[in-house]
Amino acid sequence: MNVLLTGSAGFIGSHIAEALTASGHRVRGLDTRPDALGGGGADVRDAAAVARRLEGVDAVCHQAAMVGLGVDVLDLPAYTSVNVQGTAVLLAEMARAGVGTLVLASSMVVYGEGAYACGTHGPVRPGPRPEEALRAGRFEPDCPRCGRPLAPGAVGEDTAPDPRNAYADTKLAQEHLAASWARATGGAVAALRYHNVYGPRMPRDTPYAGVAAIFRSRLLAGEAPLVFEDGGQRRDFVHVRDVARANVLALERFAAGPPARGALRAYNIASGEPRTVGDMAAALADAFGGPAPQVTGGYRLGDVRHIVARPDRARRELGFSPSVAFADGMEEFARQPVISS
């Protein structure tokens, strides 16, 4: 299969390129930076460049995006330009070229807070946590109906989206645009909602890096990882090679015969074994030999407390199951050479 891979020079995209090539596919890259495929120097917002790279392509794997929560509201134009406009240009050119299969890099951030249950009111969706509560060290969301503590659970793909920051808004916009494209063209979209991806080639020294990369940068400098809130935030840390394999499986499954034409199908791509952020910081510090993490009680508006997933649909429909154990992945991540942003 001939595959166009956008974001081919990126952290996740570079691993997908290797996984696709190893599976016998022919991969064409598109990235603003140089990549191993000779596809650098092109912007996904450039319709002419996208059109050239779509010639002879059977399917598209769309990874190009500006990532992270953002620093402040001044980031809104950049996130919208790259993530929303770039996706719109890609979809329009795919329609023009007659390419009908898309695997989209989505994210668990589209859910907002994860799944919760109240002992009195059953399943509920708490709103954004008030800053006064965060400032006072009250990090767990309360029942929006009675104010009592909630029990966190795991989100499924049919959970209603509730984005809480600029990045999440644009990832959900990508899904909506892709769904509209599929309905209009009869195409098929696999939206892979990545959870917290980590592993080799994860960039450092950028305010948009993931928490694992930020902790690793401090450890490399001989400094303790600084853990926000009380460290009890639950996440699902999934290795980048597992994410790359999920992309290959989705491309092959959807190219051969998707669950439905003219529609988007979402999949949680996760390990299925949630950990706290404090657990992850401790595991990484242990792999480095210290120093131990420091819990700061700090917070960021737009962060959610718990977001973990059930990857059952990906296992059932794509044949995906994670292969890299958390402890092994953290040991490997600690040993990897540093990659600058």
Side-chain angles (χ1 to χ4, degrees), residues 123-205:
V124 295
R125 296 297 300 275
R129 295 176 294 170
E131 185 168 12
E132 56 268 26
L134 297 172
R135 194 182 302 120
R138 299 194 305 274
F139 302 120
E140 295 289 343
D142 297 323
C143 176
R145 297 177 65 182
C146 66
R148 293 176 181 169
L150 297 173
V155 293
E157 289 87 351
D158 295 329
T159 301
D162 185 17
R164 299 290 176 88
N165 55 64
Y167 174 61
D169 292 334
T170 62
K171 295 310 285 185
L172 184 57
Q174 286 183 324
E175 288 197 13
H176 287 324
L177 288 169
S180 295
W181 166 85
R183 286 192 297 271
T185 65
V189 184
L192 305 186
R193 291 174 177 167
Y194 303 158
H195 284 250
N196 288 71
V197 186
Y198 74 97
R201 302 179 210 146
M202 195 174 191
R204 58 169 290 189
D205 297 334

Side-chain angles (χ1 to χ4, degrees), residues 4-11 13-14 29-35 39-44 53 63-64:
L4 174 63
L5 172 63
T6 73
S8 48
F11 163 47
S14 64
L30 188 154
D31 203 298
T32 55
R33 299 161 295 175
D35 66 10
D43 194 311
V44 73
R53 282 166 169 77
Q63 307 294 313

Side-chain angles (χ1 to χ4, degrees), residues 62 79-92 94-95 102 104 106 169-189 191 262-264:
H62 182 32
Y79 274 95
T80 303
S81 177
V82 176
N83 297 356
V84 181
Q85 178 67 11
T87 299
V89 169
L90 174 66
L91 293 169
M94 286 178 66
L102 172 66
L104 171 69
S106 188
D169 292 334
T170 62
K171 295 310 285 185
L172 184 57
Q174 286 183 324
E175 288 197 13
H176 287 324
L177 288 169
S180 295
W181 166 85
R183 286 192 297 271
T185 65
V189 184
L264 177 146

Side-chain angles (χ1 to χ4, degrees), residues 10 33 36 69 100 145 163 280 294 321:
R33 299 161 295 175
L69 266 65
R145 297 177 65 182
M280 188 272 288
Q294 295 178 6
S321 58

